[in-house]
Amino acid sequence: MELDLTPKKAEALVEGDGGGYYTWSTSEVPLLAEKNVSAGRLLLRPRGFALPHYSDVSKVGYVIQGNDGLVGMVLPNRREEVTLKLKQGDVIPVPIGSLSWWFNDGDSDLIIIFLGETSKALIPGKISYFFLTGAIGILGGFSTDLTSKVYGLDKDELEKLTKSQTGGLIIKLDKDQPMPKPQTDITKELVHNIDAAEPENVVKNAGLLKTLTEKEFSFIEDVGLSLIRVKLEPCAIKAPSYSVSPTSQLIYIARGSGKIEIVDFNGKSVLNTHVEAGHLLVVPQFFVVAEIAGEEGIESFSIVTTTKPLFEELAGKESIWSILSPTLQQVALNVDSDFQKFFTTKIKESTKLIPPST
């Protein structure tokens, strides 16, 4: 079975004065469709506004850049519009069918990466968006006779309703255009800053590892996903690990550069390549993956398609090697007891995050 795991960068779907939206196609990354995952990258220039829409995918947004973002949402189980404040490091779940709009109220670009699961989507591996208004809005798709009767409008009123907004997906608003104010209390409930969260693993000069699940952030249960943030210092290593759950992992390189190695079920290297900010790659279930930071360090943000992720490590005190008995280790490795004891000592000294050698 030949799998193309090559990291890819997004291609522009739409670009304009207000910003752009960038996607990864299943023709370029076939594993997206095979593993039912997808991604999109939203760039909003100052005063950029993504028109109200909903999608056929449950996903999470991660704010890579910007501190003055606004998102308005109408959740399927809440008959009210909520307005949330977004800043760098924030995670915002977007359940399937939620209506949302996105706005950059700052003076610099706002960049958000969306990672989602597409098992219920119209097209596997793709996020399909349905816009209420604009050039591709559903409001203008119905017959004029139907729309006029639904809303009780005459011809001129109907023309104004359906034709006034000529923008596509993203527009730029005037400086004097007021927008809803963010609701602080609800923002705390529906937004979680993973960059500021306490990591479960930190190693000096190596980096940190943070897994965000429903246990810490209950709203993420609504999208059925969990998140993993890995930040490595220059030349540090995230030791090999694999998911023991039948789930795929979708990794986005948010900052920096380095290398990723992946090994398959035949003990064969299926990826050993350079990665940099903007790259996306899929790790099939049970494949073993390691990250190596370059000279500037590396940060990755990923989803796994389960609310209860469980990974097995190949290094560190909690690795699978530390659980296996000495006799079993000798037999499996075909080594004598002296080497087995030596290896066990090395395992106990190791960590899942490894500083650069001095």
Side-chain angles (χ1 to χ4, degrees):
M1 180 176 62
E2 289 293 332
L3 296 176
D4 182 7
L5 305 183
T6 307
K8 298 289 177 63
K9 290 192 174 182
E11 298 178 347
L13 178 65
V14 61
E15 289 182 314
D17 292 341
Y21 188 72
Y22 307 82
T23 62
W24 288 262
S25 67
T26 55
S27 60
E28 284 292 313
V29 190
L31 272 181
L32 292 174
E34 293 180 30
K35 304 304 176 184
N36 268 316
V37 288
S38 189
R41 182 173 176 268
L42 176 65
L43 164 65
L44 291 179
R45 305 292 185 192
R47 305 298 295 175
F49 177 70
L51 292 168
H53 58 272
Y54 60 93
S55 82
D56 60 347
V57 167
S58 284
K59 56 188 180 292
V60 291
Y62 171 63
V63 182
I64 296 174
Q65 178 182 321
N67 292 305
D68 295 290
L70 289 179
V71 55
M73 298 181 69
V74 179
L75 300 172
N77 58 347
R78 293 194 186 197
R79 303 307 302 164
E80 61 175 336
E81 179 187 26
V82 296
T83 305
L84 313 173
K85 175 79 171 179
L86 296 177
K87 62 182 181 298
Q88 183 172 313
D90 278 346
V91 169
I92 171 69
V94 185
I96 188 171
S98 299
L99 185 77
S100 66
W101 54 260
W102 307 76
F103 177 63
N104 182 5
D105 199 27
D107 297 324
S108 59
D109 290 348
L110 176 70
I111 301 175
I112 304 173
I113 181 71
F114 293 98
L115 305 180
E117 194 271 339
T118 67
S119 62
K120 297 180 178 66
L122 289 171
I123 304 172
K126 179 182 178 180
I127 305 173
S128 296
Y129 290 98
F130 299 79
F131 284 78
L132 288 189
T133 66
I136 60 171
I138 58 177
L139 198 59
F142 291 101
S143 66
T144 56
D145 181 62
L146 174 65
T147 307
S148 64
K149 290 178 179 177
V150 167
Y151 296 109
L153 303 176
D154 62 30
K155 182 179 179 180
D156 291 339
E157 293 167 338
L158 181 63
E159 182 77 10
K160 187 172 184 178
L161 176 70
T162 60
K163 304 297 183 181
S164 294
Q165 181 54 266
T166 59
L169 285 65
I170 300 169
I171 61 174
K172 186 172 183 177
L173 300 183
D174 293 335
K175 290 184 178 181
D176 58 354
Q177 174 62 54
M179 293 296 287
K181 299 297 183 182
Q183 298 159 271
T184 304
D185 291 343
I186 299 180
T187 296
K188 292 178 181 179
E189 177 187 348
L190 303 182
V191 177
H192 190 95
N193 194 286
I194 194 172
D195 287 8
E198 186 71 25
E200 67 262 25
N201 196 272
V202 182
V203 175
K204 184 179 180 180
N205 298 324
L208 60 86
L209 172 66
K210 173 62 183 178
T211 304
L212 185 62
T213 68
E214 60 182 351
K215 184 177 180 181
E216 183 176 348
F217 181 33
S218 60
F219 183 41
I220 205 171
E221 183 181 7
D222 287 25
V223 295
L225 303 169
S226 298
L227 314 178
I228 301 170
R229 176 181 178 239
V230 177
K231 180 181 180 182
L232 295 178
E233 300 297 331
C235 302
I237 297 171
K238 165 62 180 70
S241 63
Y242 60 93
S243 172
V244 297
S245 307
T247 178
S248 296
Q249 185 176 5
L250 184 61
I251 301 177
Y252 180 78
I253 306 302
R255 304 173 186 92
S257 62
K259 186 171 70 170
I260 285 187
E261 295 190 28
I262 300 177
V263 172
D264 71 2
F265 51 85
N266 287 319
K268 175 184 175 183
S269 173
V270 289
L271 187 71
N272 184 347
T273 193
H274 171 81
V275 292
E276 61 188 31
H279 271 144
L280 182 84
L281 66 153
V282 181
V283 182
Q285 57 264 48
F286 305 117
F287 280 38
V288 189
V289 60
E291 292 184 40
I292 305 95
E295 295 292 336
E296 57 183 333
I298 191 171
E299 289 187 50
S300 65
F301 174 76
S302 62
I303 61 166
V304 286
T305 53
T306 177
T307 57
K308 296 178 172 60
L310 184 60
F311 283 81
E312 197 66 73
E313 303 289 338
L314 293 187
K317 296 178 181 179
E318 299 178 355
S319 75
I320 191 68
W321 291 111
S322 65
I323 300 173
L324 296 175
S325 66
T327 301
L328 200 287
Q329 289 185 32
Q330 290 179 53
V331 173
L333 295 170
N334 192 25
V335 297
D336 57 30
S337 60
D338 288 340
F339 185 85
Q340 181 275 319
K341 292 176 182 177
F342 168 77
F343 181 60
T344 299
T345 300
K346 290 295 184 181
I347 287 294
K348 291 180 179 179
E349 294 174 352
S350 69
T351 59
K352 65 180 70 175
L353 300 174
I354 305 165
S357 55
T358 56

